[in-house]
Amino acid sequence: MSITLEVGLLSGRTVTVDADENEEVRTLKRRAELSLGVGSGRLLGSSGTVLDASSPIKRARLQNGDALTLQVHSVQIQAARNGFAAILGDGTVVAWGMLTWGMKHDESSAVQDQLKNVQQIRASQRAFAAIIGGGSVVTWGSAAHGGDSSPVQDQLANVRQIQASDGAFAAILGDGSVVTWGSTAFGGDSRRVQDQLKNVQQIQASGAGAFAAILGDGSVVTWGSAAFGGDSRPVQDQLKNVKQIQASKGAFAAILSDGSVVTWGSAAFGGDSRPVQGQLKHVQQIQASFGAFAAILGDGSVVTWGPSAPGGDSSAVQNLLKPM
């Protein structure tokens, strides 16, 4: 039996598409994409739910005259050490790169049927973690680097954000709690601070193996490798009213509400800002390289610190880094 459906974009453009009830939703979707002249997207039913592309139209309970929405997104790519994973416009995932560590499309085939309506992907060095539309998580790649989330899978519900170090992942749930997995050496075990991880607003990770979480009251909780920022106790009394945290490979820099900056972690990666501390006032933004930091001040000038090789010494261009 043939039915007629209206398919529209968020911009308001619509087309009328005929379809047979025995066809798969993907056939209807492709027909609508061609008619609208857009790339691959995902179809939403009249209630706003994403339609399974592999489902027959009849099973999707589409009725003659239904108004559907075609949601088109640009491709999003996440990089691991030796591979990539891309979220396509229709919410599915393609991965490529080295055959090992789950960096190739074939290697993610074990979870491919779960990789639908993907919202976000994060990567450790050798594994990927994807947030699905309902807030669940799918992982693949090296188990030693977080590619196996089965020990905590039942806890990974209503996930709203994931961050990754080189070998572990940390997920913020809808209630503000945190679930971690992967290598303990890279921050995959947060049990030491689990009772403190409440009302978490943001998590940042240093690649070498530590995490820092900003709580709702502006305080900070850290865990993972102490040498690379997992132990913030030396500066804990300063970490109040924190607005933003950035991380290099082995250190963290936090901007406080008064525009000052607190740093911790390995000095070899920018964890010691004392040489420029007097200049770090009215800081608006911080960026991190592999081993150094750069702060933009309120007057537009720039202050840098950390080893010179990764950019911690900006003296050669400091005369150019001044507001016009």
Side-chain angles (χ1 to χ4, degrees):
M1 178 180 173
S2 180
I3 60 175
T4 300
L5 302 159
E6 183 181 89
V7 181
L9 299 173
L10 295 177
S11 65
R13 286 179 56 209
T14 62
V15 293
T16 299
V17 181
D18 293 326
D20 189 280
E21 286 186 327
N22 295 316
E23 291 178 329
E24 290 186 343
V25 170
R26 76 173 80 253
T27 303
L28 165 65
K29 181 175 75 72
R30 185 56 184 153
R31 198 172 290 142
E33 289 164 352
L34 291 171
S35 297
L36 288 163
V38 297
S40 182
R42 48 191 165 195
L43 272 179
L44 278 62
S46 54
S47 64
T49 57
V50 177
L51 301 179
D52 184 351
S54 63
S55 176
I57 290 173
K58 188 174 183 178
R59 187 180 300 170
R61 298 184 178 180
L62 297 180
Q63 303 292 322
N64 189 58
D66 279 356
L68 311 179
T69 301
L70 180 63
Q71 198 174 62
V72 181
H73 295 288
S74 57
V75 174
Q76 302 174 51
I77 295 179
Q78 187 66 222
R81 181 176 179 178
N82 289 295
F84 298 89
I87 305 176
L88 306 184
D90 61 359
T92 59
V93 171
V94 173
W96 68 97
M98 289 190 67
L99 183 61
T100 55
W101 308 331
M103 303 310 174
K104 196 168 183 177
H105 184 66
D106 292 345
E107 292 292 303
S108 61
S109 59
V111 296
Q112 198 65 42
D113 61 339
Q114 302 174 52
L115 292 170
K116 299 175 182 178
N117 195 20
V118 174
Q119 305 296 303
Q120 180 192 90
I121 291 180
R122 287 289 180 263
S124 66
Q125 274 201 353
R126 302 179 181 182
F128 292 101
I131 300 178
I132 310 303
S136 59
V137 172
V138 176
T139 57
W140 71 98
S142 166
H145 293 79
D148 179 9
S149 57
S150 57
V152 296
Q153 198 65 47
D154 60 339
Q155 302 174 50
L156 292 171
N158 196 22
V159 174
R160 55 184 174 88
Q161 181 189 335
I162 291 178
Q163 278 292 355
S165 67
D166 283 352
F169 295 91
I172 304 177
L173 307 189
D175 63 1
S177 61
V178 172
V179 177
T180 57
W181 69 96
S183 170
T184 300
F186 287 95
D189 183 355
S190 58
R191 286 177 295 179
R192 178 179 62 83
V193 296
Q194 199 65 47
D195 61 339
Q196 302 174 52
L197 292 171
K198 299 174 181 177
N199 195 21
V200 174
Q201 304 298 303
Q202 176 191 335
I203 290 179
Q204 189 59 264
S206 69
F211 291 90
I214 302 177
L215 307 189
D217 62 1
S219 61
V220 173
V221 176
T222 58
W223 69 95
S225 172
F228 299 115
D231 182 1
S232 56
R233 285 178 296 179
V235 295
Q236 198 65 47
D237 61 340
Q238 302 173 52
L239 291 171
K240 299 175 181 177
N241 298 315
V242 174
K243 297 300 182 184
Q244 179 193 130
I245 293 178
Q246 287 292 345
S248 67
K249 182 75 170 181
F252 294 94
I255 303 177
L256 309 190
S257 60
D258 63 0
S260 61
V261 172
V262 177
T263 57
W264 70 98
S266 171
F269 292 97
D272 183 359
S273 57
R274 286 178 296 178
V276 296
Q277 199 65 46
Q279 303 173 52
L280 292 172
K281 299 176 181 178
H282 308 296
V283 174
Q284 305 297 303
Q285 181 185 346
I286 291 178
Q287 289 295 332
S289 68
F290 179 85
F293 293 91
I296 301 176
L297 308 190
D299 63 2
S301 60
V302 174
V303 176
T304 59
W305 67 96
S308 58
D313 181 3
S314 58
S315 57
V317 295
Q318 194 58 231
N319 63 316
L320 301 174
L321 295 173
K322 294 180 179 179
M324 300 298 290

